[in-house]
Amino acid sequence: MADINIYEMKRKNCPLCSKVPLVDIKTPQQYLLCIGSMARMVLNGDADIVYQNCPLDQMMDKDNNWVRKKFFHQFKCRGCGTIYGMLFNTAVGGQIKINAKVFDPNDYPDPEPEKKAEEQ
């Protein structure tokens, strides 16, 4: 039996987010278009930003250069609760996909430092 993706099922019938494309993003221009579309959903009250590693209005510096190499934003549809993750690496591209939950950095703690052999 095929796996059923409950998020995809809710999304197909949702008038607010059913048109959000689940795609690979190949160029910075595509990423900016996708971010712009999601930002409009937020401004219209159709979605909320639930995680971002860089504010949308601070992704470029005053000379229009990226302020970081990797960007990650998550948006949650107010209609059905689907969470969309947008990941983009300025060197290799990215994607939009449905995420099971909101990203929490605490889920990925720093590893414990290794003890030296003489300390053990």
Side-chain angles (χ1 to χ4, degrees), residues 42-83:
V42 171
L43 290 173
N44 290 337
D46 298 336
D48 294 308
I49 298 171
V50 292
Y51 181 82
Q52 57 185 345
N53 69 348
C54 180
L56 295 176
D57 62 349
Q58 297 175 21
M59 294 171 47
M60 308 287 267
D61 66 16
K62 63 180 174 52
D63 296 320
N64 283 330
N65 296 309
W66 297 108
V67 296
R68 60 187 318 142
K69 184 177 179 180
K70 295 179 184 177
F71 295 93
F72 181 56
H73 295 88
Q74 283 184 313
F75 301 86
K76 184 175 184 179
C77 175
R78 285 189 172 181
C80 67
T82 300
I83 299 168

Side-chain angles (χ1 to χ4, degrees), residues 16 27 39 45 69 72 78 89 101 105 108 119:
L16 299 180
T27 67
K69 184 177 179 180
F72 181 56
R78 285 189 172 181
N89 180 319
K101 65 177 194 153
Y108 303 91
E119 291 180 13

